[in-house]
Every structure is written in structure tokens, then in C-alpha cells.
Amino acid sequence: MGKPKAVIIGGSIGGICSAHALIRAGWEVVVLEKTPAPPSGSPTGAGLGLDPFSQQIIQSWLQQSHLLQQTILPLTVDQNQATDGETKVSRTLARDEHFNFRAAYWADLYSLLYGALPLDIVFWGYLFLSFSMYDDKSKVRVETKVLQTGITIDIVADLLIAADGCLSSIRQSFLPGLKLRYSGYCAWRGVLDFSDKKHSEAIISLKKLYPDLGECLYFDLSSRTHSVFYELLNQRFNWIWYINQPEPNLKGNSVTMKVNENSIQNMHEEAEKTWAPELVRVIKEIKEPFLNVIYDCDPLEQIFWDKVVLIGDAAHPTTPHGLRSTNMSILDAAVLGKCLEKWGVEKLNSALEEYQSIRLPVATKQVLHSRRLGRIKQGLSLSDRLSFDPKTTSAEDCEELQQKNMPYFNDIPSILK
């Protein structure tokens, strides 16, 4: 009897992590990704924060585990501060000096994970069309189109893994009535490469304003808005700014919007009214800022059906405030791999049941906590508290801003110990 086979739909970080975990579990893996080639940059990925356990998992998948530490910077401090829009003076609201995350550039992390996979298991330029179950449910058949030739082919497997993101078409087939929930705000994002201007007056002034750059995750709160700022490897800054606004009209299968010069100019003018001049100068230096529409969805009641299982953003679309999206995808993949290894393909249903029982309660609480954190920082209404105002907030209220309050913050599933 040969190895059991899985088809993974989606070749982003969640899909690549699933491939690593299943290969370690003794499975044959095929990853189908509609983009024509591996990403060479990170037009929409930007920066992300890796928790300590995600780092351990990634290192276990790499033959040269030290390479991860060479692509990330420390985020040992989680600091929330308030900037007065009129005076531009900042004050610290809450500070945790034992945060122990690491900052990664999406493209760097992706290249590391992709480069550690066997050759030719990711099929680039393959568009997922549909799937169907054998009558006896012994196998799943996946239909895919080779975009370069237009040829349609079928792949038969023991398991279908949906790693196709928050707009998952596979999830839609099981839950056609499920809708993403608009958060009430969008995020301007960008990465600034300052390697050729690191001794400039602008960068020197910025580092005086944010003295712990290179080890600190800065959350800067103003009235009904907040921004995120931290340093990435190789002299780059990652910047995010959340702005309350009506839900935009999205086109296509993406939560990222193209923006015109007029929109960028308006954003720059608003930044001048809100943030310190040192940060505004950096914002204006970012050549191609982009706009993310921020969604999540109410937690699912199940994340597998027969021989189809959801992982990552397909299983639990979440807002970014708890730094969970990538970390949840990594943990999903690792837990799924261990469950499949434990039960074997002969007891696939038991493996998926255990995966769901481990991950669903955790993801549910983390999605809802991240939602709450975003609404607090954006000054939006909550049923159990007054809207957050950084000018009048109490010390007790500020404690709720810290990342360490995330449910299961330091939890390691027993199956991975």
C-alpha cells in the first residue's frame, strides 16, 4: 500500500505549512496554486509577527533550522501608546517587556518555507474548479484547470485541504449562507526600505520618536483610530493605519484594494492631522501603500466534512489585532499533521475529529478576542464598556490592550508536546 495522498488548495503560507506537516506525517502531497509562479516580492503580505511556538514549529520543518533566526527580528516589547492629534505628544498606555515574538517580512518567511519543500509538489498556475466525493466516500476527486494550456485535469486523493483563504470557495460549498463580517474599518499598509537613507535626518528623528525600534511592536492610538509600526530585517519598516469608514465595494476575489494617487494624497493629509511629523514623513516615503478591507466572520461550528478539511483563514477569518492569522495557520497545519500521523488514513475521520476538537475552541476565542481588541482600539462601540478614548482612559482599561491577554496565548496542544 502506497502513501496516502492529500491535495491542498492554496499555495500561500497556510498551504505551504500544511505541505510540510503532512510530508512529516508520511503523506504524499500536491499543492494547487492559481498564481503562475512563486512570489518574488510581497505586494500585499508586508510584515507579520511570529509567536515563540510558531518559530519552533517552523524550525522543525527546516533542515537548517538556524535559517529562520536569520530572517526575523526580535519583538520583545509590546507597547501601546497614545498620540494627541493636536499637540502630537505621545504617552505610554501599556508596556510589556516580555513579549518574545519575532518580526518577519512575508516574502522572506514564504521563501524560507517554500524553499525547504521537495521540488515539484507545488503546481503553479493551476486553478481549482470543483471537487466531488466518491459514492462510497473513500476518495475525493479534485478538478483543476492548467491556466497556461486551458486543459482540465482530475486528481484523486484521500484528503482535500482547503487553504484557500478567508474568501474560501471550498468553505462556501458547505456553508453557502456564511458571510464575512466587515469590521467597520480599513487598513492602509506599506513597507519602507530605508537602507539607503538610514543616516538621514528623517530616520534619525523617527528613531528618537520610537527609541525601541528593532525590538518593539508599537501600537499608536489616537481618537477613533490606531496605527502599528515596527522594524523588519534589512532596514525596513512595516506600517499599518486603521481608519473607520463605510464598507468599500470590493471587486474580484481579494480583500486588498487598488488605490489611486488622489486617495493616497487624501491619506497623507489625514496623517498630518493625526500623527507626529516624524511618522508622517515615513508614511509619505512609502511608494506604493495599499488598502486592506478588514473582515472576520463569526466562528464556525465545524471545520471538516468527510474528506475535506479547512485550515488557516479558510477555517477562521480573523482581524489582525491579535497577530494570530499566520500563527493560527502554522498551528493548524502542525496539529493536522500530528492527528493524521496518529490515526493513519484508515481512521481519517478520527484524525479530523481530533484536529477539529483541538483547534476549533481555540480559534473561536481568538477570533472573538481579536475582534474586540480592534473595536476597542478604533473607539467603536461594545456592549459591556464605553468606547475607548485614549485621552481619558484608565490604567485598568489600558491593560486590556496588551497582546498577552489573547486567550490561549501560551497554549501548546498536548498532541504537539
Side-chain angles (χ1 to χ4, degrees):
M1 184 176 175
K3 291 183 178 181
K5 183 174 182 178
V7 176
I8 301 168
I9 307 302
S12 193
I13 284 181
I16 296 300
C17 289
S18 297
H20 275 289
L22 265 69
I23 289 169
R24 291 291 293 268
W27 282 59
E28 179 186 346
V29 173
V30 171
V31 182
L32 304 181
E33 170 54 47
K34 64 184 177 182
T35 56
S40 56
S42 187
T44 60
L48 53 91
L50 290 176
D51 66 35
F53 192 50
S54 289
Q55 296 168 50
Q56 291 180 36
I57 293 170
I58 291 171
Q59 287 175 320
S60 75
W61 292 335
L62 303 176
Q63 286 188 331
Q64 298 176 291
S65 60
H66 67 280
L67 292 179
L68 177 63
Q69 296 303 317
Q70 295 177 8
T71 62
I72 54 181
L73 277 185
L75 286 180
T76 54
V77 181
D78 167 28
Q79 177 160 314
N80 286 268
Q81 60 187 47
T83 295
D84 187 295
E86 295 177 3
T87 65
K88 304 298 189 288
V89 174
S90 298
R91 65 186 179 91
T92 299
L93 301 175
R95 181 178 169 94
D96 175 10
E97 297 188 353
H98 304 283
F99 186 46
N100 205 24
F101 273 48
R102 294 292 185 271
Y105 188 49
W106 188 94
D108 292 346
L109 181 63
Y110 186 89
S111 296
L112 186 64
L113 287 165
Y114 175 66
L117 284 175
L119 294 175
D120 302 326
I121 70 165
V122 181
F123 290 16
W124 299 100
Y126 279 65
L127 176 66
F128 166 76
L129 297 176
S130 66
F131 70 92
S132 59
M133 213 70 62
Y134 276 24
D135 289 341
D136 63 359
K137 297 186 178 181
S138 62
K139 301 281 184 180
V140 60
R141 178 184 289 107
V142 177
E143 184 181 20
T144 182
K145 179 190 283 187
V146 185
L147 293 177
Q148 188 172 13
T149 63
I151 295 173
T152 298
I153 62 173
D154 287 348
I155 303 174
V156 175
D158 299 285
L159 179 64
L160 172 60
I161 299 176
D164 52 343
C166 67
L167 297 172
S168 170
S169 62
I170 297 174
R171 185 187 67 225
Q172 182 79 7
S173 69
F174 293 105
L175 302 168
L178 183 73
K179 303 295 183 185
L180 293 183
R181 185 202 68 97
Y182 177 55
S183 64
Y185 47 90
C186 295
W188 283 98
R189 302 186 65 177
V191 173
L192 175 66
D193 183 339
F194 64 94
S195 56
D196 59 347
K197 52 178 82 72
K198 56 187 175 182
H199 300 300
S200 69
E201 179 190 345
I203 299 302
I204 292 171
S205 298
L206 185 79
K207 290 193 171 185
K208 288 181 180 178
L209 181 67
Y210 297 100
D212 293 323
L213 276 173
E215 63 176 0
C216 184
L217 175 64
Y218 282 100
F219 292 92
D220 210 337
L221 285 73
S222 192
S223 177
R224 293 176 61 81
T225 190
H226 79 288
S227 66
V228 185
F229 195 59
Y230 56 95
E231 189 171 343
L232 299 168
L233 195 68
N234 297 325
Q235 286 85 52
R236 292 172 289 193
F237 292 134
N238 188 53
W239 160 78
I240 313 167
W241 179 18
Y242 298 98
I243 297 178
N244 296 339
Q245 65 176 75
E247 182 177 3
N249 183 23
L250 282 172
K251 297 179 180 178
N253 191 36
S254 174
V255 296
T256 299
M257 292 182 61
K258 292 182 178 180
V259 289
N260 55 38
E261 287 296 326
N262 188 49
S263 296
I264 294 173
Q265 179 62 35
N266 290 339
M267 181 268 288
H268 287 169
E269 292 172 2
E270 287 301 312
E272 290 174 348
K273 299 175 187 176
T274 308
W275 304 118
E278 296 89 340
L279 178 56
V280 174
R281 288 173 72 174
V282 168
I283 293 171
K284 289 182 175 181
E285 286 279 342
I286 296 172
K287 292 184 173 63
E288 295 182 346
F290 57 92
L291 195 65
N292 270 158
V293 187
I294 306 300
Y295 291 97
D296 65 8
C297 83
D298 292 335
L300 277 58
E301 294 182 359
Q302 67 183 99
I303 51 176
F304 86 93
W305 295 262
D306 295 319
K307 293 183 177 295
V308 181
V309 63
L310 309 180
I311 77 120
D313 289 343
H316 35 67
T318 184
T319 58
H321 311 292
L323 279 71
R324 296 314 306 154
S325 179
T326 299
N327 290 297
M328 283 199 287
S329 295
I330 293 166
L331 196 51
D332 285 351
V335 170
L336 178 60
K338 284 296 183 182
C339 289
L340 294 172
E341 183 179 10
K342 172 183 173 180
W343 291 98
V345 70
E346 300 83 5
K347 294 185 177 180
L348 182 58
N349 190 74
S350 296
L352 299 181
E353 283 276 10
E354 183 168 13
Y355 163 72
Q356 178 174 274
S357 70
I358 293 170
R359 294 299 299 143
L360 198 55
V362 174
T364 294
K365 289 193 174 183
Q366 292 187 339
V367 167
L368 295 177
H369 184 85
S370 183
R371 177 186 297 183
R372 177 181 177 85
L373 200 54
R375 294 191 68 81
I376 291 173
K377 292 186 176 184
Q378 287 299 106
L380 296 170
S381 62
L382 287 162
S383 61
D384 63 340
R385 60 169 294 161
L386 296 173
S387 296
F388 185 84
D389 183 347
K391 289 184 178 180
T392 60
T393 184
S394 68
E396 183 181 358
D397 282 344
C398 291
E399 289 300 308
E400 193 172 1
L401 302 174
Q402 296 190 30
Q403 293 291 317
K404 65 183 179 182
N405 296 318
M406 174 64 66
Y408 302 98
F409 183 71
N410 289 316
D411 183 70
I412 298 175
S414 58
I415 196 168
L416 297 180
K417 291 179 180 177

